[in-house]
């Protein structure tokens, strides 16, 4: 398949699920007023492509694409085919990318993929696509019994300021590749290969990139354990609405990468386009994946089990950096659930419009659910002490129109959901700040406090043992802009509170008896006088 136009990354990935025939418009012609001559049509040439299988005969099956990179044929794509194995097409002159796949009716024979990254069409030209020139792609993990899942090879060719791509996706490890034609300009050819393997405990995601003047003729790399990084993905049993099992306390989730195709659960590299692969994840449980750091960062999506008739929550973890020999852990759908500001301002003012994008139910690692479950939610905006706006629902994509000029504001929100083991049953948050009319989008100074206790697989903490709980400030008060911070805990659902000293970025919680919910509260003032009052009722439980 050839991709001929730049698209948003996820759109490109979805495009990989079908073989798209991308056509080009016919060349335009015109008449020059006052002249006897028409505008010159682009010169065209006949491109003839001969196809030979591994025995030098007409292949059983083949598919060839020719896509214009630059010149009059830029953007035009053709798929010439003839049962004789020799196909012709007439095209305007210019630089083209040619790629061809040849295969038989026997799966074990695999596929030959031949790419000519530089095809300069300036005369009638004949090209021979010969499967006898290919070499095997032999990429394997260090674990011999690991089972192959799928793979994808991609090539990107740049010329004249334009880029075109081609790819092949395989469900069997039987791919052979070859370069065809002259070398392209230095660095104009980029190619990458990703393959995925499964084991009882998880699997392997093996990726590698190349840059140069030629397409790959075969690829051999047998990975060692020392070349790989460990990506540990954990799912917490949280039997609340929208959480694991929704009352069952267990289930099976799925880990998925945004490099995957549409809604398929996969893990994949952040740099794409690419393909991904699927792994199931027991809840509670852990999937251990070994990935190649040289492929760059990795994207993961976790889909939590859901109650019948409800939408499952998906949690995105994008751009995960890994290092050979090191372990990176992401825990999904677990406590302490609360507001999060990772990668976002939270609240912005544009002219006299306030827009909030402030998730109140991010999981313990800060992953934001796509379908947060709650029973009731309310948000209100006060201006100089008077209620200006009230709305049902949280602060995801909430918009408020405010009067012009400066004023003091308070933004308050509460979310409540059914009590359940390990669930945050209520989140209350209130922010105060001053704001005035702006000439464009300007962040409003809001902050949140995140609590990160080390909890067990079920999201609980040992009863009767003091627990160190790291405290992190996100938003306007981060990076040393805290004037005052008070943290308190409650073991009776928030009826009474005990202040906990904050020392070296953490508090120590005297965990109560087994089966007790611990609630946490943070009261913060930043160096400019903006405040936060945040309460998490049933932040976690003891077990």
């Amino acid at each position: 398949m050839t991709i001929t136009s730049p698209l948003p990354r996820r759109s490109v990935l979805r495009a990989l699920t079908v073989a798209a025939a991308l056509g080009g418009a016919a060349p335009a012609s015109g008449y020059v007023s006052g002249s006897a001559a028409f505008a010159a049509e682009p010169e065209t040439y006949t491109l003839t492509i001969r196809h030979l299988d591994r025995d030098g005969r007409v292949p059983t099956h083949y598919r060839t694409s020719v896509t214009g990179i630059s010149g009059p044929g830029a953007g035009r794509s053709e798929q010439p085919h003839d049962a004789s194995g020799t196909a012709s097409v007439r095209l305007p002159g210019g630089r083209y990318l040619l790629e061809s796949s040849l295969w038989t009716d026997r799966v074990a024979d695999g596929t030959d993929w031949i790419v000519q990254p530089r095809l300069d069409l300036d005369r009638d030209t004949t090209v021979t696509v010969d499967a006898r020139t290919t070499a095997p792609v032999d990429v394997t993990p260090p674990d011999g019994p690991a089972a192959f899942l799928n793979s994808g090879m991609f090539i990107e060719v740049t010329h004249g300021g334009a880029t075109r791509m081609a790819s092949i996706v395989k469900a069997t490890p039987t791919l052979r590749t070859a370069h065809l034609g002259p070398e392209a300009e230095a660095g104009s050819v980029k190619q990458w290969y990703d393959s995925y393997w499964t084991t009882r405990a998880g699997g392997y995601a093996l990726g590698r990139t190349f840059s140069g003047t030629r397409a790959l003729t075969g690829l051999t790399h047998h990975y060692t354990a020392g070349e790989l990084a460990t990506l540990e993905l954990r799912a917490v049993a949280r039997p609340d609405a929208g959480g694991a099992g929704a009352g069952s306390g267990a289930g099976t989730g799925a880990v998925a990468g945004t490099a995957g195709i549409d809604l398929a659960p996969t893990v994949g590299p952040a740099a794409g386009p690419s393909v991904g692969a699927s792994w199931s994840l027991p809840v509670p449980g852990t999937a251990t994946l070994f990935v190649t750091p040289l492929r760059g960062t990795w994207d993961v999506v976790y889909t939590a089990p859901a109650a019948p008739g409800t939408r499952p929550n998906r949690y995105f973890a994008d751009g995960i950096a890994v290092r050979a020999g090191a372990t990176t852990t992401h825990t999904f759908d677990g406590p302490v659930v609360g507001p999060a500001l990772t990668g976002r301002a939270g609240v912005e003012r544009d002219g006299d419009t306030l827009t909030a994008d402030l998730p109140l139910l991010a999981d313990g690692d800060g992953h934001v659910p796509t379908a947060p479950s709650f029973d009731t939610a309310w948000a209100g905006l006060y201006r100089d002490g008077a209620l200006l706006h009230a709305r049902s629902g949280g602060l995801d994509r909430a918009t408020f129109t405010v009067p012009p000029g400066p004023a003091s504001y308070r933004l308050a929100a509460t979310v409540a959901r059914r009590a359940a083991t390990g669930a945050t049953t209520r989140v209350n948050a209130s922010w105060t700040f001053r704001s005035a009319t702006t000439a464009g989008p300007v962040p409003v100074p809001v902050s949140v406090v995140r609590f990160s206790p080390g909890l067990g697989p079920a999201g609980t903490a040992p009863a009767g043992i003091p627990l160190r709980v790291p405290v992190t400030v996100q938003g306007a008060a981060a990076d040393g802009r805290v004037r005052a911070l008070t943290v308190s805990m409650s073991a009776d659902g928030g009826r009474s509170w005990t202040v906990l000293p904050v020392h070296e970025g953490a508090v120590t919680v005297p965990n109560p008896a087994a089966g007790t919910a611990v609630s946490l509260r943070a009261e913060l003032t930043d160096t400019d006088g903006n405040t936060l009052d945040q309460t998490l009722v049933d932040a976690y439980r003891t077990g």
Side-chain angles (χ1 to χ4, degrees):
M1 177 189 302
T2 304
I3 301 171
T4 64
S5 61
L7 295 172
R9 182 164 171 272
R10 293 184 185 177
S11 298
V12 171
L13 295 170
R14 293 190 179 100
L16 296 178
T17 62
V18 296
L22 304 175
S29 62
Y31 179 78
V32 181
S33 177
S35 169
F38 287 95
E41 294 278 357
E43 188 74 27
T44 62
Y45 306 97
T46 298
L47 174 64
T48 302
I49 309 169
R50 298 176 61 233
H51 300 83
L52 300 174
D53 67 11
R54 295 177 194 171
D55 295 321
R57 301 171 181 170
V58 176
T60 306
H61 305 285
Y62 73 88
R63 181 191 53 77
T64 295
S65 293
V66 182
T67 302
I69 305 175
S70 60
R76 179 168 174 172
S77 184
E78 299 287 347
Q79 292 77 39
H81 189 277
D82 190 272
S84 68
T86 299
S88 296
V89 62
R90 196 154 184 90
L91 294 167
R95 173 70 64 89
Y96 288 84
L97 164 66
L98 181 150
E99 58 100 4
S100 184
S101 300
L102 302 88
W103 69 97
T104 71
D105 290 322
R106 297 196 317 159
V107 174
D109 291 340
T111 303
D112 295 288
W113 193 48
I114 300 171
V115 180
Q116 181 166 345
R118 178 178 182 174
L119 174 57
D120 292 317
L121 193 62
D122 54 9
R123 61 178 67 94
D124 292 345
T125 302
T126 298
V127 171
T128 300
V129 173
D130 191 341
R132 293 173 296 182
T133 65
T134 63
V137 174
D138 180 18
V139 175
T140 58
D143 185 352
F148 180 86
L149 287 174
N150 68 313
S151 68
M153 183 172 281
F154 299 77
I155 189 165
E156 178 183 272
V157 182
T158 301
H159 183 260
T163 297
R164 301 291 181 258
M165 301 186 69
S167 64
I168 186 168
V169 176
K170 291 282 293 176
T172 59
T174 50
L175 177 64
R176 298 173 65 93
T177 65
H179 169 86
L180 178 62
E183 293 189 356
E185 293 77 12
S188 65
V189 179
K190 295 181 181 179
Q191 198 162 356
W192 54 96
Y193 177 71
D194 297 308
S195 63
Y196 302 89
W197 307 73
T198 185
T199 65
R200 287 187 175 184
Y204 292 86
L206 308 178
R208 193 174 177 188
T209 60
F210 307 85
S211 180
T213 61
R214 299 169 58 88
L216 291 173
T217 296
L219 173 63
T220 299
H221 194 96
H222 301 155
Y223 282 91
T224 65
E227 296 178 87
L228 304 177
T230 302
L231 183 57
E232 192 172 73
L233 306 176
R234 296 176 178 173
V236 172
R238 193 163 55 82
D240 62 309
S248 66
T252 301
V255 288
T258 54
I261 298 173
D262 203 25
L263 296 181
T266 59
V267 169
S274 187
V275 294
S278 304
W279 284 276
S280 62
L281 180 55
V283 182
T286 300
T288 302
L289 306 181
F290 300 97
V291 302
T292 48
L294 292 179
R295 188 61 174 89
T297 60
W298 293 81
D299 289 349
V300 174
V301 176
Y302 169 71
T303 302
T310 65
R311 290 185 299 166
N313 266 319
R314 303 179 75 204
Y315 296 90
F316 290 83
D318 294 339
I320 300 173
V322 297
R323 181 169 53 87
T327 298
T328 302
T329 301
H330 275 256
T331 301
F332 295 95
D333 210 27
V336 169
V337 172
L341 285 178
T342 303
R344 67 188 75 211
V347 182
E348 285 188 340
R349 181 163 180 167
D350 186 354
D352 292 318
T353 300
L354 283 175
T355 301
D357 182 17
L358 211 168
L360 300 177
L361 297 175
D363 72 9
D365 274 13
H367 308 120
V368 178
T370 56
S373 177
F374 52 83
D375 293 327
T376 60
W378 179 89
L381 179 66
Y382 298 80
R383 184 180 189 269
D384 291 334
L387 180 63
L388 189 63
H389 294 287
R391 69 189 301 268
S392 297
L395 290 176
D396 299 328
R397 296 173 295 279
T399 300
F400 307 96
T401 301
V402 298
S408 296
Y409 288 90
R410 182 168 75 91
L411 179 62
T414 183
V415 176
R417 54 186 182 176
R418 291 184 297 274
T421 301
T424 299
T425 54
R426 189 170 70 251
V427 174
N428 296 328
S430 176
W431 296 267
T432 67
F433 51 87
R434 286 194 61 79
S435 180
T437 303
T438 66
V442 175
V444 170
V446 298
S447 305
V448 301
V449 174
R450 300 286 300 170
F451 298 100
S452 307
L455 303 176
T460 60
I465 300 176
L467 177 66
R468 185 179 185 272
V469 178
V471 179
T472 304
V473 176
Q474 296 179 342
D479 301 324
R481 294 189 293 272
V482 175
R483 177 188 297 172
L485 173 61
T486 300
V487 174
S488 307
M489 63 88 63
S490 172
D492 57 11
R495 289 185 294 274
S496 62
W497 294 92
T498 301
V499 174
L500 304 173
V502 180
H503 179 65
E504 295 182 350
V507 296
T508 300
V509 177
N511 276 339
T516 304
V518 174
S519 301
L520 296 170
R521 181 178 181 181
E523 298 165 277
L524 179 148
T525 303
D526 70 16
T527 52
D528 293 325
N530 309 298
T531 70
L532 162 72
D533 190 340
Q534 172 185 300
T535 302
L536 311 178
V537 177
D538 288 2
Y540 68 89
R541 289 180 175 264
T542 56

